[in-house]
Amino acid sequence: MQLDAQVSTQLPSDRPTTPLVKAAKVRLIEPTPPRLVELIRVDPGYSVITVAIDALYATIAVLLAHWWIPGTLEQDRNIDLYSWVFVPVVVVVLATRGLYRQKLSHGFLDELEPVETSIAVAALATLTIMLLLVPRLPAGEAAGTYFRPSEMILRIWVCAAILIPAVRLLRSALNRSLRRRFHVGVPALIVGHGPVAHQLISRMRQVPEYGLWPAGLIDDMRPTDSEMVDVPYLGTTGNLESAVRATRAEELIIAPSSLPDEQLARTAQLAQQLGMRVRVVPRLMDAVGSGTWIEHLGGVPLMVLNRVDPKGWQFALKHTVDRVVALVGLVLISPLMIVLALAVKLSSPGPIFFSQDRIGRDGKVFGCLKFRSMRATELAKAGFELRAGAAPGGVEGDDRRTWIGKIMRRASLDELPQLFNVLRGEMSLVGPRPERPEFVELFEMHVRRYGQRHRVKAGMTGWAQVHGLRGQTSIADRAEWDNYYIDNFSMHLDFKILMLTVLAVLRPTED
């Protein structure tokens, strides 16, 4: 409890110690990962290990290519020698793409494209070097007795394109596992209090894969006990240095607050002098997307906001692709659809499909199709009362599912008829999940930015769903994730969500 004592002695003496703060202070020493895991987590150790692993598997790729086509002539030995240039070149190219920088989220799907592109560029650069430096055979020698540099590079590229992403996938899975199991996260201090600070704390705890855990709040205005959210108040911004020593915090997150900008800037500069990484939540956080970049007008930084137009050509392309994929999908899974339709028909009297009014793009009502999973006489959820702050969904009230309904809902197979909604242009493959009209008006009045979800077509799956927000979960959290998807839309993000949906179906939950 040495750390607990440090916190008590270094905080302002006039601050009463409430049971809530005591409980929160115990959390400061809760994450105790093994020493080896701690060394792996911290930069530069993390980057050094990642570089070493990539270099090792690039070396293995070159060795496999040599084994694939062993050389025998002098020409072959030159090619063998210069082929090793691929190892440092691929590491340099990966570094220029920022793939050795620690990030909050280490998603393999986010890295796949830049990694594969970097490998291809490195292979092309190595081939160029070999063509310039490897001496050519004299004219008249038998050309069929040796292999060309392009043959070697092709084999290196194939081996590296498999090995390096595979080991990065393994590393990503291991990293997530360590963060979940050992709380391998960076202790972070948060400047400010209020809704945004609470939102940051909530996300750190809900998603340990981000690698952050809240060590305490710093603000010149002391929050009330009800605002503490089980995180200790560590004093004013002038108390930053002692708070860092007490909590061993490595990151400072500055949330919007009533503090003057000059004071926040001095706090950020002091944190950097103390060796901390500083992250700042922009005041216009709702307008800042992943495509935002920084320019400078003289010495003044300007944040250039990216623009997403739900009625532009990108979404028109998306909807065309949706319909093509839906049509192909319906053809491919038609045998499964027929089997499920027969099972629904035989399980209990009633229709095969169940259509329910939902709100789609621009507030238009459409009939969302599903396989009927409940007995037809009990489809109405009489007497069910929605939990405060939660979205409707899942099994509401008494369990009235049929035997095939339980199987379908466990694997989300009851959602397959929505491919017809996609084909008709009422839905998209990816987008916010549609809600019933009777709930939409209520949520728009009480949930921040909820109505902005209807800028795009509703989806069969969405960014919120692949992050576990299915069934009766927080509607405010769903609105946050859904609006993030819209504000940062790309075809790559759609592909990522579809891949994560497959993984989510393998870990089924009730929806």
Side-chain angles (χ1 to χ4, degrees):
M1 296 298 292
Q2 182 178 2
L3 177 59
D4 188 66
Q6 287 179 333
V7 174
S8 299
T9 57
Q10 295 180 11
L11 294 181
S13 58
D14 60 344
R15 175 171 129 330
T17 304
T18 65
L20 180 61
V21 174
K22 288 182 179 179
K25 289 196 293 186
V26 173
R27 295 183 63 87
L28 296 179
I29 59 173
E30 188 176 279
T32 54
R35 178 62 179 167
L36 177 61
V37 173
E38 185 72 10
L39 288 174
I40 293 174
R41 174 186 68 78
V42 180
D43 265 333
Y46 173 88
S47 298
V48 171
I49 291 172
T50 308
V51 170
I53 291 174
D54 283 345
L56 172 63
Y57 278 85
T59 301
I60 294 174
V62 176
L63 289 173
L64 287 174
H66 289 177
W67 170 80
W68 196 341
I69 44 174
T72 55
L73 302 179
E74 183 66 26
Q75 174 80 4
D76 300 334
R77 284 193 287 273
N78 288 330
I79 292 175
D80 285 352
L81 176 63
Y82 286 108
S83 65
W84 289 103
V85 174
F86 174 79
V87 177
V89 169
V90 75
V91 170
V92 169
V93 176
L94 288 168
T96 60
R97 296 294 302 272
L99 292 169
Y100 295 122
R101 187 183 305 132
Q102 272 195 313
K103 301 175 183 177
L104 287 180
S105 179
H106 291 270
F108 171 72
L109 293 176
D110 293 321
E111 291 186 344
L112 183 58
E113 179 274 325
V115 167
E116 292 288 9
T117 302
S118 299
I119 293 170
V121 170
L124 184 61
T126 306
L127 176 60
T128 303
I129 294 172
M130 292 173 70
L131 291 175
L132 292 174
L133 299 181
V134 174
R136 301 183 180 219
L137 283 179
E141 285 201 24
T145 60
Y146 73 98
F147 58 91
R148 293 182 295 273
S150 58
E151 297 179 53
M152 172 65 78
I153 292 301
L154 176 62
R155 287 157 175 76
I156 291 176
W157 171 67
V158 170
C159 295
I162 296 173
L163 288 175
I164 295 178
V167 76
R168 279 182 168 260
L169 173 60
L170 179 62
R171 189 211 62 184
S172 178
L174 178 62
N175 191 55
R176 288 174 180 269
S177 176
L178 290 174
R179 287 180 171 181
R180 285 179 185 153
R181 183 177 177 183
F182 294 110
H183 299 280
V184 184
V186 176
L189 297 178
I190 300 163
V191 175
H193 71 278
V196 177
H198 292 185
Q199 191 173 354
L200 290 169
I201 294 168
S202 175
R203 292 296 168 266
M204 291 182 201
R205 291 174 173 168
Q206 288 176 356
V207 190
E209 291 90 338
Y210 284 142
L212 295 173
W213 61 274
L217 292 172
I218 293 178
D219 197 25
D220 286 8
M221 181 181 298
R222 187 180 187 279
T224 63
D225 288 346
S226 62
E227 296 175 318
M228 291 300 292
V229 290
D230 199 24
V231 171
Y233 171 63
L234 302 180
T236 67
T237 53
N239 198 50
L240 175 64
E241 189 169 354
S242 59
V244 171
R245 287 199 303 268
T247 61
R248 299 193 298 272
E250 300 174 29
E251 299 235 4
L252 182 73
I253 302 178
I254 301 178
S257 71
S258 58
L259 295 174
D261 290 345
E262 290 185 4
Q263 185 173 348
L264 292 175
R266 287 195 299 270
T267 302
Q269 291 166 356
L270 175 59
Q272 290 175 327
Q273 293 172 8
L274 295 173
M276 303 178 75
R277 173 179 290 175
V278 179
R279 303 179 191 269
V280 179
V281 179
R283 294 186 185 272
L284 300 178
M285 52 181 278
D286 292 338
V288 178
S290 59
T292 300
W293 72 94
I294 301 294
E295 294 181 337
H296 285 80
L297 185 63
V300 180
L302 300 177
M303 185 177 294
V304 184
L305 305 182
N306 59 313
R307 179 174 179 268
V308 174
D309 183 7
K311 299 186 185 300
W313 68 269
Q314 292 174 309
F315 278 86
L317 175 63
K318 165 187 168 66
H319 299 151
T320 300
V321 173
D322 284 341
R323 292 188 177 189
V324 172
V325 173
L327 179 60
V328 174
L330 284 170
V331 172
L332 293 178
I333 66 171
S334 56
L336 174 61
M337 297 274 284
I338 293 172
V339 171
L340 292 175
L342 290 174
V344 171
K345 192 65 178 177
L346 296 174
S347 65
S348 64
I352 295 174
F353 297 108
F354 169 61
S355 177
Q356 189 177 54
D357 285 348
R358 297 290 178 109
I359 300 296
R361 183 177 182 176
D362 298 328
K364 295 179 180 178
V365 180
F366 70 96
C368 184
L369 292 175
K370 291 186 180 184
F371 279 120
R372 180 174 57 84
S373 60
M374 299 184 184
R375 292 181 289 275
T377 56
E378 299 175 343
L379 288 175
K381 302 174 178 63
F384 170 72
E385 196 170 313
L386 185 64
R387 189 172 69 251
V395 179
E396 300 176 346
D398 297 333
D399 191 350
R400 301 170 299 281
R401 295 172 295 172
T402 60
W403 63 271
I404 187 61
K406 292 180 180 180
I407 296 173
M408 289 191 301
R409 295 184 71 152
R410 192 172 299 120
S412 298
L413 295 176
D414 60 321
E415 311 278 355
L416 291 179
Q418 289 167 27
L419 288 171
F420 289 108
N421 290 117
V422 176
L423 198 59
R424 293 195 304 224
E426 298 166 336
M427 292 182 65
S428 175
L429 293 176
V430 178
R433 287 293 293 162
E435 195 46 76
R436 283 168 268 174
E438 59 267 29
F439 291 109
V440 167
E441 186 176 352
L442 174 66
F443 292 152
E444 286 183 340
M445 290 189 297
H446 294 92
V447 178
R448 178 175 169 272
R449 296 192 72 198
Y450 180 82
Q452 295 185 32
R453 299 166 73 251
H454 301 132
R455 291 176 287 168
V456 299
K457 291 182 181 180
M460 292 183 62
T461 185
W463 189 236
Q465 282 63 43
V466 298
H467 283 86
L469 296 172
R470 306 172 62 194
Q472 297 172 32
T473 50
S474 168
I475 192 63
D477 288 348
R478 286 196 188 190
E480 176 190 335
W481 290 103
D482 287 336
N483 281 305
Y484 171 87
Y485 164 75
I486 298 170
D487 295 335
N488 297 278
F489 165 76
S490 69
M491 296 301 291
H492 175 264
L493 181 57
D494 269 16
F495 173 77
K496 177 181 177 180
I497 292 172
L498 291 173
M499 294 300 100
L500 291 174
T501 299
V502 175
L503 298 178
V505 169
L506 296 178
R507 301 189 302 268
T509 56
E510 194 60 69
D511 189 6

